[in-house]
Amino acid sequence: MQNRTPRIPEQPTPNPVDADAGLTVELASVVTGARRRALRDGDRQIDTAHLLHSLIESDPEVREAFDGGPQLAKVLGYLVQRSIGYGLRWQGSVEDSGAVPVVRDPAADVVRDPAAEGWSPSAATAMEDALHRAGLRGESRARGLDLLAALAADGECRAVEVLGRAGVDARWLSGRAVERTAEVSR
């Protein structure tokens, strides 16, 4: 008889990007924090809400992009509640905002993410978008503000759902992150 209880991974989920792949040391730290969050929450994949939470906690430039402390506190409140109720409906499901097609593997009866194993399609796309944004500025490494802009630009991801519940206009935040990035890059 086999135990049908889903196995919680003991090792960190794979990381499709690392500091050498175009991330600042600070942003690589954010990815590490998001990976720890996913493992602690029992999630099979890093999603955009994990990335947003880790970004806010780790990056002062990201925190400054928000419209003051009360707004930021409200967002953090939703993110903290994730593991105790608010995000429980997300457990066991794949975050897919449609940015990258998700493929069902009928032989294994699992969903495969063609973008990056261990990452939701939306999170993988946000990371790629952050790297692209840095490249457009002529920089070889993405910053936290690049990732914030990418997350907030995906209107269907979990990070934007959290922002909306907290009363943050995601389009405004994405634009503000782009503006702040330009200021910091000068």
Side-chain angles (χ1 to χ4, degrees):
M1 225 188 233
Q2 287 184 333
N3 183 356
R4 301 266 183 209
T5 305
R7 190 175 141 264
I8 296 176
E10 295 172 4
Q11 298 295 318
T13 55
N15 185 3
V17 291
D18 57 44
D20 295 329
L23 303 180
T24 60
V25 172
E26 295 81 9
L27 192 50
S29 175
V30 165
V31 170
T32 299
R35 184 181 313 114
R36 273 194 307 266
R37 261 182 215 300
L39 284 170
R40 186 187 63 229
D41 292 348
D43 295 332
R44 292 179 16 211
Q45 295 181 322
I46 295 169
D47 68 21
T48 58
H50 293 124
L51 289 171
L52 179 63
H53 198 162
S54 191
L55 260 178
I56 290 172
E57 284 187 337
S58 303
D59 194 325
E61 292 176 349
V62 166
R63 288 191 297 272
E64 290 173 11
F66 284 83
D67 191 22
Q71 185 184 62
L72 189 58
K74 204 168 181 184
V75 171
L76 276 172
Y78 276 103
L79 289 167
V80 168
Q81 290 178 30
R82 175 187 179 125
S83 62
I84 59 172
Y86 174 69
L88 289 179
R89 63 191 162 87
W90 292 336
Q91 282 187 334
S93 65
V94 175
E95 175 191 31
D96 182 23
S97 65
V100 175
V102 175
V103 179
R104 178 163 287 284
D105 182 350
D109 194 33
V110 297
V111 175
R112 289 186 301 122
D113 171 6
E117 188 178 314
W119 289 70
S120 74
S122 298
T125 299
M127 294 302 295
E128 290 170 9
D129 188 22
L131 293 168
H132 178 74
R133 288 168 185 272
L136 290 175
R137 288 192 315 276
E139 295 181 14
S140 60
R141 297 193 182 270
R143 312 172 74 94
L145 287 169
D146 293 315
L147 181 55
L148 179 63
L151 291 170
D154 181 353
E156 300 297 319
C157 73
R158 291 176 181 171
V160 168
E161 183 179 337
V162 169
L163 291 170
R165 297 248 178 183
V168 177
D169 181 332
R171 284 182 285 172
W172 171 85
L173 183 60
S174 182
R176 181 145 161 131
V178 169
E179 289 171 10
R180 292 248 185 218
T181 303
E183 292 171 9
V184 171
S185 296
R186 288 184 200 156

